[in-house]
Amino acid sequence: MSGHSKFANIKHKKEKNDAAKGKIFTIIGREIAVAVKEGGADPANNSRLRDVIAKAKANNMPNDTIDRGIKKAAGDANSVNYEHAVYEGYGPSGTAIIVETLTDNKNRTAANVRNAFTKGGGNVGTPGCVSYMFDEKGQILIDKEEYSADPDEFMMTVIDAGAEDFVDNEDSFEIITAPDMFSEVREKLEKLGVPMAEAEVKMIPQNYVTLTSEDDIKKINKIFDLLDAEDDVQNVFHNWDE
């Protein structure tokens, strides 16, 4: 790991307005629905649902909202069925962008994602065109303001729990896991009472691209703003060094 912290983005996300919070809750609500349909409504027997619940709590989603989402997904056989769809493409100056979606209409989503890329001077490519530049990893971020620990001792704890790597950033501890070890490591930290600012399986860039042109920066932000406004978009991963 390079120690390239994305924690500033997490803090920024938590400070966004209520509309943005509503968007995050919509995203998590869809993930809850999919997790319940695929593995059942009991978190004890559904590790994916446990992971989504942890993500919901990290984003300050109220417990009753989480419970309602689970009950609705479990009790409504005719509820909307969401499908996963992933789009890959290029932003300005060859920046690599991966867009993960959950949608009930792939044609609509594909058109909207393509539109976002086009308006920001980018283009959607073929599957696999940029994903080889990323590694799929579990990433857990812990705010040092919410959790203080001796870095060396904490590193030994997380490595013993099954983590691949540990980074002591200025404002956060960053824990990296293999995708199939993510749930186990997260749950061990949860049992230890470690508060997590973010815990999710992500696509982490192997290298980062620096944009020096103001025009390129405006364009890539245009892409991200349009994608952020799209309800079907769950995650956006990129290799721009902001």
Side-chain angles (χ1 to χ4, degrees):
M1 277 294 297
S2 65
H4 189 103
S5 176
K6 290 295 178 189
F7 192 62
N9 295 352
I10 306 305
K11 284 192 171 180
H12 176 67
K13 183 191 293 183
K14 287 186 177 294
E15 291 163 2
K16 280 185 178 178
N17 58 30
D18 289 340
K21 183 179 285 188
K23 159 76 173 175
I24 292 168
F25 286 3
T26 298
I27 286 171
I28 295 171
R30 289 190 182 190
E31 291 181 6
I32 288 173
V34 171
V36 169
K37 284 194 178 261
E38 291 183 355
D42 183 1
N45 298 315
N46 186 341
S47 64
R48 181 172 178 185
L49 180 58
R50 290 198 299 273
D51 289 341
V52 178
I53 291 171
K55 177 179 177 180
K57 289 180 176 178
N59 282 280
N60 300 315
M61 179 181 272
N63 287 333
D64 61 338
T65 304
I66 297 171
D67 292 340
R68 279 200 308 271
I70 293 171
K71 287 174 183 174
K72 182 179 178 183
D76 188 357
N78 297 315
S79 62
V80 175
N81 284 314
Y82 295 108
E83 293 181 88
H84 290 279
V86 179
Y87 304 90
E88 301 181 31
Y90 300 92
S93 295
T95 45
I97 302 172
I98 298 174
V99 182
E100 293 182 347
T101 69
L102 275 178
T103 178
D104 59 348
N105 185 327
K106 283 189 175 181
N107 290 335
R108 178 194 67 222
T109 303
N112 291 344
V113 169
R114 195 174 299 278
N115 178 61
F117 274 81
T118 301
K119 287 191 172 179
N123 62 282
V124 175
T126 56
C129 67
V130 301
S131 56
Y132 72 92
M133 294 186 270
F134 294 74
D135 294 316
E136 186 180 25
K137 296 288 183 183
Q139 184 187 48
I140 298 169
L141 293 171
I142 297 156
D143 186 349
K144 286 185 176 180
E145 291 181 1
E146 296 182 11
Y147 184 77
S148 59
D150 177 82
D152 292 334
E153 290 181 7
F154 191 42
M155 178 179 68
M156 293 308 299
T157 298
V158 301
I159 296 299
D160 287 345
E164 279 187 358
D165 204 354
F166 174 88
V167 184
D168 181 11
N169 295 308
E170 182 180 345
D171 52 8
S172 67
F173 296 119
E174 184 176 4
I175 298 162
I176 302 298
T177 78
D180 58 355
M181 286 296 294
F182 168 74
S183 295
E184 183 176 330
V185 173
R186 185 195 60 72
E187 288 174 9
K188 285 180 179 177
L189 293 176
E190 194 174 61
K191 286 177 183 176
L192 291 172
V194 178
M196 288 163 263
E198 184 159 304
E200 203 168 352
V201 176
K202 298 183 172 185
M203 299 298 286
I204 298 177
Q206 296 162 1
N207 296 289
Y208 288 84
V209 173
T210 301
L211 297 179
T212 55
S213 160
E214 283 298 320
D215 186 52
D216 282 350
I217 292 170
K218 281 183 182 178
K219 285 179 176 176
I220 199 167
N221 277 316
K222 177 77 170 176
I223 293 173
F224 294 154
D225 286 346
L226 289 168
L227 290 173
D228 191 48
E230 175 57 43
D231 282 344
D232 296 337
V233 171
Q234 297 292 108
N235 289 302
V236 178
F237 304 114
H238 60 84
N239 66 351
W240 172 35
D241 186 351
E242 298 172 74

